[in-house]
Amino acid sequence: MELISASRRLELLFGEPAQEVRKLELRDFYEVDRPLFEAWRSDDRETVEETMRGHRAFLAGKAALGFPYRRVRVISEPLSEYQRMAVELADPEEGLRWLPRPLVSAVPLPGNDCLIRDDLVIFNLIGGDNQQTEIQLSTDPDVVGFCNDAFERAWSLGVPNGKYKP
């Protein structure tokens, strides 16, 4: 595995040739979203809407350039407060599926969140304090194939966004 920077991650994911980006999320809370979470908790609708507009615009812009995006979120039930926020704020247009953790007990999944293209996989490593510790890149066909197979299996088991009812 090669360690890379956050800027290199974006270059690799959205570089040429344009490909679908697939994301597998395995955690119940992400510290990087703390400002959004706190705004949601305090009912600061202006900050929440501004943040979500930025997220939606980013994804729409990438899709317009030929980078479709699908995401699976493996979630514990009952939902954490963070995941309740995530379900409430999820963009109905996003290719997102919610996968309750009991459904993946026997499904081989990577040990870390990952972003997958046809030719590479990027792992986001998060420490026990929910802070990102490093970003790993693999172009090993076996690792890419494993992660892609895991994603597709998770996708097939997930509940489509908008139909998931906690």
Side-chain angles (χ1 to χ4, degrees):
M1 299 277 176
E2 175 186 347
L3 296 181
I4 61 170
S5 68
S7 60
R8 181 72 176 134
R9 174 180 53 202
L10 283 175
E11 290 170 11
L12 290 166
L13 290 172
F14 300 108
E16 294 299 324
Q19 294 180 26
E20 177 183 63
V21 175
R22 297 168 294 280
K23 186 174 186 186
L24 186 55
E25 297 178 357
L26 306 168
R27 299 180 64 88
D28 283 315
F29 181 81
Y30 292 90
E31 186 65 33
V32 69
D33 291 335
R34 170 79 58 191
L36 173 63
F37 180 60
E38 293 301 334
W40 176 81
R41 280 175 119 187
S42 66
D43 204 30
D44 178 354
R45 302 312 300 167
E46 183 178 327
T47 299
V48 168
E49 288 306 315
E50 180 181 322
T51 302
M52 294 311 296
R53 259 193 315 277
H55 172 72
R56 290 177 183 128
F58 176 81
L59 291 180
K62 294 304 181 188
L65 294 172
F67 295 95
Y69 183 81
R70 287 188 296 151
R71 180 165 62 124
V72 174
R73 241 187 190 175
V74 177
I75 49 174
S76 298
E77 292 179 318
L79 294 177
S80 67
E81 187 178 20
Y82 173 89
Q83 292 295 8
R84 287 196 314 271
M85 173 200 72
V87 169
E88 179 183 313
L89 299 181
D91 182 350
E93 303 300 313
E94 183 179 349
L96 168 63
R97 295 206 175 171
W98 304 90
L99 182 53
R101 200 169 300 280
L103 298 179
V104 297
S105 294
V107 175
L109 295 173
N112 295 294
D113 287 12
C114 59
L115 295 129
I116 310 153
R117 284 178 43 134
D118 293 340
D119 55 349
L120 60 83
V121 62
I122 295 173
F123 297 99
N124 292 320
L125 279 65
I126 311 247
D129 60 357
N130 278 322
Q131 298 289 337
Q132 185 168 350
T133 58
E134 60 187 45
I135 302 168
Q136 296 176 331
L137 165 68
S138 178
T139 56
D140 179 320
D142 292 335
V143 174
V144 175
F146 166 75
C147 290
N148 192 53
D149 290 348
F151 177 88
E152 293 301 339
R153 178 74 173 129
W155 182 263
S156 74
L157 294 170
V159 179
N161 192 31
K163 293 185 178 181
Y164 176 70
K165 303 296 180 223

